Amino acid sequence: MSTATAAPDGRRTRPWAHLLVGRVTPLGEVLAGGRVATKALQIAVAVFLSVVLWRALYVGTSSQAGLDREQAVTYAVLGTVLVSTRFSASWLNGDTVLQRMQQGTILFWFLRPMSARRYYFVRGLGELGYAQVWLAVTVLVCLPLGVIQEPDPAMLPVFVVSLLLGNAIFYELNLVLDLLCFWTVMNQSAVQIMFFVQTLLSGGFAPLWFFPDWFRTVSLLLPFQGTLNVPVSIYVGRLPASQIAGSLALQVGWVVGLWLFNRWLWERASRRVTVQGG
Amino acid sequence: MTTHLVGTGSESAAQRFAAAWILALRITRLNLRARLEYRAEFLLTVLTGLVWQTSILVFASVLLVRFPGMGGWTSPQVLLIASMRMVSHALFILLFGRVLWITGLVQLGSIEAFLLRPLPVYRQVQLSMFSVNAIGDLLVAATLTTMAVTRFDLPWTPARVALLLAGLLGGLLVEAAVHTAISAFGLHLGGTVYWSNWTEELMATFGNYPLNILPKVAQAALTYVLPIAFLAYLPASLVTGQTQGRAVPGLVVALIPLVGLGAFVASRLFWNASLRRFQGVSG
């Protein structure tokens, strides 16, 4: 059975060939001079400063909000790496929806043999995959050095599943903003606001466990905490076992809900492509 | 009525200075009108400043509540550090913030156009757009400063007020110097945007605390490598008299406005030198 399909010009392409688009961001980062070294240095410094800050804060206390010093440091390190790697190089590479609209090249997204929706998805897959490599490297470096605590082996698969779901929510949230750009034309500020709100409400600035009850209640009603707080809390063992299934179900719910919403937006967005330049 | 944008050579230095400011204000007014063309985006950008500063503030407040008495500083004193950093940062965004967009201007080919006009390029960079988010920054900074000043646990003597103002000026100049120096690299390297974003994040994260809680090596790095300590912590130590664990001599701290001015002048000279080697990367 052949898996190849015929392209309009008669060439044979593999169905999985589209996935190669996902390499664009990682390759761009690796091949552009100094970006990987820059990122490595930035993560190393950010992790070092997070560790010394949280250790210093815990000097006079052994536990706060159910987190001991090692748990808080581990949470802070994982949160720092996730925040600093997830927001990708799309802007630098000139491949955001806003930049494409301003240049007029957004049109090509709808003229290629690959649909705009799939192109965006595969690019996102590559970018988030690249971010996970940084996370894995950080964990592999920090664990032997004793900077972060080891995860409970039984919880490790749960953490991985929750992290995948968190990345999916993150992807869908950013997709909402990019798709709204088809109506609002500009989305720079919305993207920045989303970054700050997402970082704050996901626990990227400080573990959500330290926040007042009302704040955590609000964050539970929103999708952001599923992007970081849930997986990281599972890793550090702070999320009670009785709440893990519910938290995972909530993550799945957000993924499905946002996916359906974005599917609806994509259909409408593709009917009203606006370009400003060209 | 005609306005002479380029000097005839016969005006005094004061007249040229005044003319330059009038021109800058006119361009700024036009930039503001241009940003107002996209009303929703304008409001969202104001909101961006508000949300960003508020989120940093929430983070700092949470740590203050959970971990009171940081490094011997009382909560109102830590609040003063946070408010001083916000004010100096908001002023930096308002007056010098466009250096953060230097890689974007290079990509758009704007620098080439600036080189052809009869105005200093650095000034044109600053006049290239209106930083709307500075409005949000200033709103939060003003609110926080009001809170910090009213809750401050020491009397506000004239000397202390003078130290506060001098510290704000120093913090503003140091931040401007750091970002101007980074943007000098941005004239040649697109990836510099990573560094400026990262530096801004570090300043926002670590500029709000008494840095004497950190180990000596981290404190030294945040003082002498990336001078975050000069933004608010060291000036606030002068206002509060908190010298416990401070890694910088009192005389240097007292001269922060001059240190900031020196750093800014040096960064501008470096920027000019970098501009002379500018080759352009856009099509």
Side-chain angles (χ1 to χ4, degrees):
Chain A
M1 188 182 78
S2 170
T3 54
T5 55
D9 61 1
R11 284 181 293 116
R12 312 285 288 178
T13 57
R14 302 274 174 193
W16 46 261
H18 288 164
L19 291 176
L20 295 179
V21 172
R23 298 181 310 168
V24 173
T25 293
L27 278 179
E29 291 294 294
V30 171
L31 296 177
R35 279 197 204 169
V36 171
T38 300
K39 189 56 117 182
L41 181 64
Q42 289 178 348
I43 290 175
V45 173
V47 165
F48 168 72
L49 289 174
S50 284
V51 171
V52 295
L53 174 66
W54 286 98
R55 284 185 178 170
L57 290 171
Y58 267 82
V59 162
T61 179
S62 58
S63 178
Q64 268 293 350
L67 286 171
D68 62 27
R69 192 185 82 156
E70 297 316 310
Q71 284 176 309
V73 169
T74 304
Y75 190 117
V77 169
L78 297 181
T80 298
V81 179
L82 281 171
V83 170
S84 59
T85 56
R86 269 176 175 167
F87 278 89
S88 68
S90 287
W91 184 83
L92 198 58
N93 295 330
D95 201 30
T96 61
V97 171
L98 176 64
Q99 285 166 312
R100 292 288 177 198
M101 276 192 168
Q102 288 178 337
Q103 293 161 6
T105 48
I106 190 78
L107 212 58
F108 298 127
W109 283 22
F110 295 89
L111 296 176
R112 292 173 179 149
M114 182 183 198
S115 72
R117 197 171 139 198
R118 184 174 292 183
Y119 172 78
Y120 190 97
F121 173 71
V122 178
R123 283 296 306 268
L125 210 59
E127 289 181 359
L128 285 172
Y130 180 66
Q132 304 321 297
V133 172
W134 281 112
L135 180 67
V137 170
T138 306
V139 170
L140 290 175
V141 171
C142 289
L143 267 179
L145 294 174
V147 175
I148 60 172
Q149 67 177 41
E150 289 181 20
D152 176 354
M155 282 293 119
L156 197 56
V158 185
F159 162 69
V160 172
V161 170
S162 179
L163 184 64
L164 287 173
L165 290 168
N167 283 323
I169 298 172
F170 182 86
Y171 166 83
E172 297 291 348
L173 283 171
N174 285 288
L175 178 55
V176 171
L177 286 185
D178 272 344
L179 289 177
L180 287 177
C181 202
F182 285 86
W183 284 268
T184 58
V185 182
M186 300 279 278
N187 75 343
Q188 266 172 311
S189 299
V191 167
Q192 282 190 314
I193 290 172
M194 173 72 105
F195 173 73
F196 304 143
V197 170
Q198 202 262 333
T199 306
L200 181 68
L201 292 175
S202 68
F205 284 128
L208 278 187
W209 303 101
F210 288 142
F211 285 77
D213 287 341
W214 67 264
F215 189 94
R216 281 194 287 130
T217 306
V218 170
S219 72
L220 274 176
L221 300 172
L222 297 167
F224 307 108
Q225 61 116 16
T227 64
L228 193 152
N229 182 56
V230 174
V232 173
S233 294
I234 290 172
Y235 183 99
V236 301
R238 177 61 182 83
L239 197 66
S242 59
Q243 293 179 17
I244 289 178
S247 296
L248 290 176
L250 198 59
Q251 281 184 297
V252 172
W254 277 114
V255 172
V256 173
L258 287 167
W259 177 75
L260 288 170
F261 181 59
N262 282 328
R263 191 183 163 85
W264 178 77
L265 280 181
W266 261 124
E267 284 169 10
R268 273 141 194 85
S270 54
R271 287 187 217 140
R272 49 168 306 137
V273 180
T274 305
V275 294
Q276 292 183 300
Chain B
M1 189 184 81
T2 57
T3 304
H4 297 287
L5 299 183
V6 182
T8 58
S10 60
E11 311 108 324
S12 67
Q15 282 175 317
R16 284 199 299 273
F17 182 78
W21 268 103
I22 289 168
L23 178 63
L25 290 174
R26 286 179 67 184
I27 295 173
T28 302
R29 198 174 63 193
L30 280 173
N31 283 335
L32 182 59
R33 281 177 61 189
R35 296 298 298 266
L36 280 166
E37 280 298 304
Y38 296 93
R39 291 293 167 94
E41 180 69 10
F42 182 88
L43 291 174
L44 277 175
T45 311
V46 174
L47 196 61
T48 304
L50 279 171
V51 173
W52 166 234
Q53 298 295 4
T54 306
S55 56
I56 295 294
L57 188 60
V58 169
F59 171 46
S61 314
V62 165
L63 292 196
L64 264 180
V65 170
R66 291 286 177 185
F67 306 96
M70 274 187 208
W73 291 60
T74 63
S75 292
Q77 290 171 350
V78 178
L79 198 63
L80 183 75
I81 299 180
S83 69
M84 285 180 75
R85 197 206 73 80
M86 277 198 190
V87 171
S88 63
H89 175 72
L91 291 174
F92 158 72
I93 292 291
L94 190 70
L95 299 173
F96 300 102
R98 273 63 56 200
V99 286
L100 299 172
W101 297 94
I102 198 77
T103 51
L105 293 172
V106 171
Q107 280 177 350
L108 288 170
S110 303
I111 302 295
E112 283 90 332
F114 294 168
L115 283 164
L116 297 173
R117 295 179 189 157
L119 266 186
V121 174
Y122 188 83
R123 196 183 303 167
Q124 289 187 70
V125 168
Q126 297 304 343
L127 294 173
S128 60
M129 71 183 95
F130 185 85
S131 287
V132 180
N133 52 326
I135 298 172
D137 287 350
L138 281 169
L139 283 172
V140 178
T143 309
L144 187 63
T145 304
T146 308
M147 284 168 59
V149 167
T150 50
R151 291 180 189 189
F152 194 58
D153 44 13
L154 295 169
W156 281 110
T157 59
R160 192 164 270 133
V161 173
L163 288 173
L164 177 74
L165 296 175
L168 291 175
L169 178 65
L172 159 68
L173 288 169
V174 168
E175 187 164 359
V178 169
H179 283 299
T180 297
I182 293 173
S183 76
F185 291 101
L187 289 168
H188 307 277
L189 304 166
T192 308
V193 69
Y194 278 147
W195 290 101
S196 56
N197 286 347
W198 181 66
T199 305
E200 212 184 348
E201 280 170 30
L202 283 181
M203 286 177 171
T205 310
F206 292 93
N208 302 313
Y209 311 107
L211 294 181
N212 61 328
I213 63 168
L214 300 180
K216 290 289 179 200
V217 61
Q219 207 183 140
L222 295 181
T223 304
Y224 299 110
V225 181
L226 184 61
I228 290 176
F230 286 87
L231 300 180
Y233 161 59
L234 290 176
S237 75
L238 215 55
V239 177
T240 58
Q242 285 279 4
T243 56
Q244 180 192 331
R246 195 174 67 186
V248 178
L251 182 65
V252 176
V253 180
L255 295 175
I256 276 180
L258 286 180
V259 172
L261 185 63
F264 182 65
V265 170
S267 72
R268 283 287 285 110
L269 293 173
F270 178 56
W271 201 90
N272 288 347
S274 177
L275 182 67
R276 282 194 289 275
R277 288 164 181 75
F278 178 73
Q279 291 186 319
V281 296
S282 55

